[in-house]
Amino acid sequence: MSEPFLELRGISASYGAIQALSKVSLKVPQGGIVALLGSNGAGKSSTLNTISHLVDPTHGEVIFDGKPIQRLPSDEIVQRGLVQVPEGREVFKEMSVHENLELGAFLRRNRREMAEDFDKVYVMFPRLKERREQRASTLSGGEQQMLAIGRALMSRPRMIMFDEPSMGLSPVLVEQIFESIQRLNREQGLTILLVEQDVRLALTVASYAYILENGEINLEGPSQQLINDPAVRRAYLGV
Ligand SMILES: Nc1ncnc2c1ncn2[C@@H]1O[C@H](COP(=O)(O)OP(=O)(O)OP(=O)(O)O)[C@@H](O)[C@H]1O
Ligand SMILES: [Mg+2]
C-alpha cells in the first residue's frame, strides 16, 4: 500500500474506568473503501469518535493526510476534509432539510461554492430537493440518512466515515444508500471508512476490512479472504 490517507497507530481510549479501545491500528488508502466491523459494543463508534476527536485517545496517534490530528479540535478535522456521518444520523429534526444541509457548510463562506454543493447534493438525492422546505422530522429513516450524507458532503470532504448507515432501513433503502456510497467513492474519489454490523454487505463493498472485538482488532484482511474465512463465516455470516 502507498502512504495511507488515514492511519491509526496504537489508539486506546476509555470512558472513565471503562476501556473502550485498546491499541487499535488501521490504515485506509487514498481512494479506498475499508470496513470496520464488529458486534454491539465492540468499539466501532468509539473508534470513529476518537478519529473525529469527540473522544480523547489515552494513547496512540491518528494520522490524516500525513499529519497527526489527534490533538486538533473536531471542526479543524472537518476543515481538513475528514467528516463523519454519525450513528443514528443525528439530523436536526426541527429544522428544514435545507437548513440541515446549510449546517454542514458552516465552516465555509464562499457562497458560489455553497450553491454548487447544494446543487450536487440535490442531484444526488432528488428526494431531498423535493422536500427541501420540510422539517427533517417528517422524513423517513432512509431520507434522514440521505440528509445526513448530504450534510457531510456540504463540507467538501476528501474522506467520509459512515457509522452504520444501514441501521433501521428496509432492504431497498439499504441498497440505495450503499449505491450512493459507492458512487461517491467511484465518481468523486472520496476515501471511505465504513462501520457496519451487516458484515456480508460491508464485505461486498469494501476491499479490506478490520474486525473489532472488545476494543481490539482481532482480525483483518482483504474482504475476499474474510468472506471465505471459516471463523468469520461462523461468527458473523451465520454459516
Ligand atoms: N459515552 C460513553 N460512556 C461510557 N461508556 C461508553 C460510552 N460510549 C460507549 N461506551 C462503551 O464503550 C464500549 C464501546 O462502545 P461503542 O459505542 O464504541 O461500540 P459499537 O461497536 O459502536 O457498538 P454498536 O454496534 O452497538 O453501535 C461499550 O462497552 C460501550 O458501552
Ligand atoms: Mg456504534
Side-chain angles (χ1 to χ4, degrees):
M1 196 198 289
S2 54
E3 274 291 284
F5 199 40
L6 176 74
E7 181 175 6
L8 270 60
R9 295 185 187 151
I11 284 289
S12 299
S14 356
Y15 303 102
I18 300 170
Q19 174 133 25
L21 300 176
S22 179
K23 297 182 185 148
V24 170
S25 293
L26 59 80
K27 293 177 186 179
V28 184
Q30 186 151 25
I33 304 184
V34 168
L36 178 62
L37 310 171
S39 38
N40 279 315
K44 304 181 298 296
S45 297
S46 299
T47 302
L48 297 195
N49 288 338
T50 305
I51 296 169
S52 294
H53 202 180
L54 301 167
V55 168
D56 251 326
T58 52
H59 298 278
E61 282 184 301
V62 182
I63 314 288
F64 178 61
D65 197 16
K67 298 183 194 75
I69 59 167
Q70 72 275 3
R71 290 187 216 287
L72 298 180
S74 300
D75 59 344
E76 170 72 21
I77 293 172
V78 173
Q79 215 148 14
R80 289 191 185 194
L82 176 54
V83 70
Q84 183 181 164
V85 178
E87 185 176 310
R89 356 242 196 250
E90 292 182 13
V91 298
F92 293 89
K93 298 262 167 66
E94 301 310 313
M95 297 171 75
S96 72
V97 165
H98 201 77
E99 287 165 342
N100 267 279
L101 291 177
E102 246 164 19
L103 282 180
F106 77 105
L107 295 168
R108 305 222 330 270
R109 298 273 148 68
N110 186 318
R111 294 192 146 269
R112 195 170 48 89
E113 277 186 10
M114 255 176 80
E116 280 170 23
D117 293 349
F118 273 118
D119 284 347
K120 255 198 200 166
V121 170
Y122 287 142
V123 167
M124 175 149 213
F125 300 115
R127 286 289 196 112
L128 295 183
K129 188 171 189 181
E130 290 163 23
R131 290 162 174 69
R132 48 176 285 161
E133 302 305 337
Q134 261 173 249
R135 277 207 271 182
S137 60
T138 65
L139 300 180
S140 72
E143 289 159 357
Q144 288 186 20
Q145 186 64 50
M146 292 171 196
L147 182 54
I149 296 173
R151 182 181 56 190
L153 292 173
M154 291 299 293
S155 67
R156 293 220 168 171
R158 294 184 289 159
M159 172 166 181
I160 304 188
M161 304 187 284
F162 291 92
D163 197 344
E164 302 203 33
S166 74
M167 204 195 338
L169 302 186
S170 69
V172 173
L173 278 168
V174 170
E175 202 173 302
Q176 275 181 28
I177 293 295
F178 270 72
E179 178 56 36
S180 318
I181 293 173
Q182 287 176 289
R183 267 176 52 204
L184 289 171
N185 173 255
R186 223 175 30 232
E187 295 169 12
Q188 299 186 34
L190 282 174
T191 302
I192 286 164
L193 178 57
L194 175 65
V195 161
E196 258 300 332
Q197 274 198 52
D198 188 332
V199 171
R200 190 184 302 275
L201 180 63
L203 290 178
T204 61
V205 292
S207 51
Y208 198 91
Y210 294 85
I211 299 184
L212 265 177
E213 218 171 274
N214 293 319
E216 293 180 42
I217 303 283
N218 84 336
L219 198 61
E220 64 172 273
S223 299
Q224 265 316 310
Q225 187 180 314
L226 294 181
I227 286 176
N228 295 312
D229 183 306
V232 174
R233 293 173 74 81
R234 234 177 298 118
Y236 298 100
L237 298 175
V239 285

